[in-house]
Amino acid sequence: MHVFTERDLTTTLDSSTRVCVVGYGSQGRAHALNLRDSGVDVVLGLRPGGASARQASAEGWSPRPIAEAVQGASIVMILLPDTAQPAVFREAIAPHLEPGALLMFAHGFNVHYGQIDAPAGVDVALVAPKSPGAMVRREYTRGCGVPCLMAVHRDATGSARARTLAYAHAIGGTRAGVLETSFAEETETDLFGEQAVLCGGVTELVTKGFETLVEAGYQPEIAYFECLHELKLIVDLMHEGGLAKVHQFVSETAIYGDLSRGPRIVDAGAKARMKEVLEEVQTGAFAREWLVENQVGKPSYRRMLARDLEHPIEAVGRSLRARMTWLEEGPGDADQEDRSAAQ
């Protein structure tokens, strides 16, 4: 796979390019600030009086209503929650898109599953930084960047690919490398990763391990340390150097337990169920389920979320973390997306 860098640029964005960033949550704030610092003419499209608009105004921006902000923009980047995008697009964006404009996303969900269809003559693409927004901003200010994915869904003008790479460059992506993908691949792998590994897989593994120890008579506090607290050590090692670094910095006893017992926990049955989850993503079954869930007010979502937050590991964790004076606000807090339906 070719990794795109500054050497691959055939065009760049400058003060003659007006980019409308719709949304000022985790990614929206980072994109807007990085674009502006790269010399791009940036206008924010936000819901008047909303929390995002108030924050943006406090940080020196002059946000406009979305419909007004879109007018005259050659690039429109939508950085709202997935479930909010279709209605905002229909009502405030689509009627005001300039002919030949580039409509952009940071996740392909709504385009891939047919919830958003841009007018004819409009380019459609995505640039997806592979990090939370705070890191996108921090690395840019350090003169670095984070890896990004880019994809072109529709090239109506013949310049979509070049402009998409130029956008990735303007937010710092070419400093770390930009990988080309498709809307289908980005969307399906992202959803699968969240469900099977990064969110669903990890949280279920942690809570089931905690329950196993507590049900066997061990103290909840000890179970918390072994099944949740120390997970950061392993994740950090994997993040920095893959499996090899984990094996380098844990004991041989731990390595032997990993190699001999790990496959018994996450076995062929678990992989088969992962394939089922992937098929639900690929066929659109998950997307349809999630869209219906939102349409009826998210009752199942709220019930399952409450079950998670009421798990005993949460009470134990709060008590123990209160004694960990070195803990500061982490990315889960600082980079929390504004999930309001209209920003």
Side-chain angles (χ1 to χ4, degrees), residues 32-77:
L33 290 170
N34 291 5
L35 288 165
R36 186 174 67 180
D37 288 352
S38 291
V40 179
D41 178 16
V42 181
V43 59
L44 291 182
L46 303 173
R47 178 172 59 86
S52 293
R54 291 194 296 273
Q55 180 186 357
S57 297
E59 294 180 352
W61 293 92
S62 298
R64 304 178 189 177
I66 296 171
E68 178 184 326
V70 170
Q71 297 175 36
S74 57
I75 298 176
V76 177
M77 169 58 95

Side-chain angles (χ1 to χ4, degrees), residues 103-119:
L103 179 67
M104 299 194 70
F105 302 84
H107 179 41
F109 185 95
N110 282 299
V111 171
H112 181 52
Y113 292 118
Q115 301 304 298
I116 289 179
D117 185 19

Side-chain angles (χ1 to χ4, degrees), residues 123-137:
D123 292 342
V124 181
L126 69 79
V127 168
K130 300 311 291 179
S131 80
M135 184 179 292
V136 173
R137 178 58 180 163

Side-chain angles (χ1 to χ4, degrees), residues 101-181:
L102 171 60
L103 179 67
M104 299 194 70
F105 302 84
H107 179 41
F109 185 95
N110 282 299
V111 171
H112 181 52
Y113 292 118
Q115 301 304 298
I116 289 179
D117 185 19
V122 172
D123 292 342
V124 181
L126 69 79
V127 168
K130 300 311 291 179
S131 80
M135 184 179 292
V136 173
R137 178 58 180 163
R138 183 177 70 245
E139 291 305 299
Y140 179 94
T141 60
R142 293 179 59 237
C144 303
V146 302
C148 292
L149 303 181
M150 77 170 191
V152 174
H153 176 72
R154 181 201 292 165
D155 185 5
T157 66
S159 63
R161 194 163 177 263
R163 290 198 288 171
T164 301
L165 182 59
Y167 182 99
H169 171 70
I171 64 170
T174 54
R175 299 172 180 176
V178 179
L179 285 69
E180 192 163 18
T181 183

Side-chain angles (χ1 to χ4, degrees), residues 88-281:
V88 173
F89 177 77
R90 289 192 301 270
E91 297 164 11
I93 297 176
H96 306 289
L97 283 171
E98 297 285 325
L102 171 60
L103 179 67
M104 299 194 70
F105 302 84
H107 179 41
F109 185 95
N110 282 299
V111 171
H112 181 52
Y113 292 118
Q115 301 304 298
I116 289 179
D117 185 19
V122 172
D123 292 342
V124 181
L126 69 79
V127 168
K130 300 311 291 179
S131 80
M135 184 179 292
V136 173
R137 178 58 180 163
R138 183 177 70 245
E139 291 305 299
Y140 179 94
T141 60
R142 293 179 59 237
C144 303
V146 302
C148 292
L149 303 181
M150 77 170 191
V152 174
H153 176 72
R154 181 201 292 165
D155 185 5
T157 66
S159 63
R161 194 163 177 263
R163 290 198 288 171
T164 301
L165 182 59
Y167 182 99
H169 171 70
I171 64 170
T174 54
R175 299 172 180 176
V178 179
L179 285 69
E180 192 163 18
T181 183
S182 65
F183 269 63
E185 184 175 57
E186 186 279 332
T187 302
E188 293 170 5
T189 57
D190 185 83
L191 292 176
F192 172 80
E194 290 170 350
Q195 296 169 23
V197 182
L198 304 177
C199 298
V202 167
T203 55
E204 286 302 310
L205 186 65
V206 166
T207 54
K208 293 300 185 290
F210 175 87
E211 291 169 3
T212 299
L213 287 178
V214 172
E215 290 167 7
Y218 298 102
Q219 297 178 76
E221 293 79 6
I222 304 302
Y224 176 89
F225 278 119
E226 294 303 326
C227 296
L228 190 153
H229 178 80
E230 293 189 18
L231 180 64
K232 185 179 187 304
L233 166 66
I234 303 303
V235 170
D236 284 350
L237 290 173
M238 291 179 69
H239 183 74
E240 294 164 7
L243 302 180
K245 190 161 186 177
V246 175
H247 294 162
Q248 180 183 355
F249 284 92
V250 302
S251 70
E252 286 192 335
T253 303
I255 294 172
Y256 182 74
D258 166 0
L259 300 175
S260 64
R261 268 58 177 181
R264 289 168 55 185
I265 303 300
V266 184
D267 59 7
K271 186 175 179 180
R273 291 185 292 276
M274 286 184 176
K275 290 182 177 180
E276 292 174 2
V277 167
L278 178 57
E279 184 177 358
E280 291 169 359
V281 169

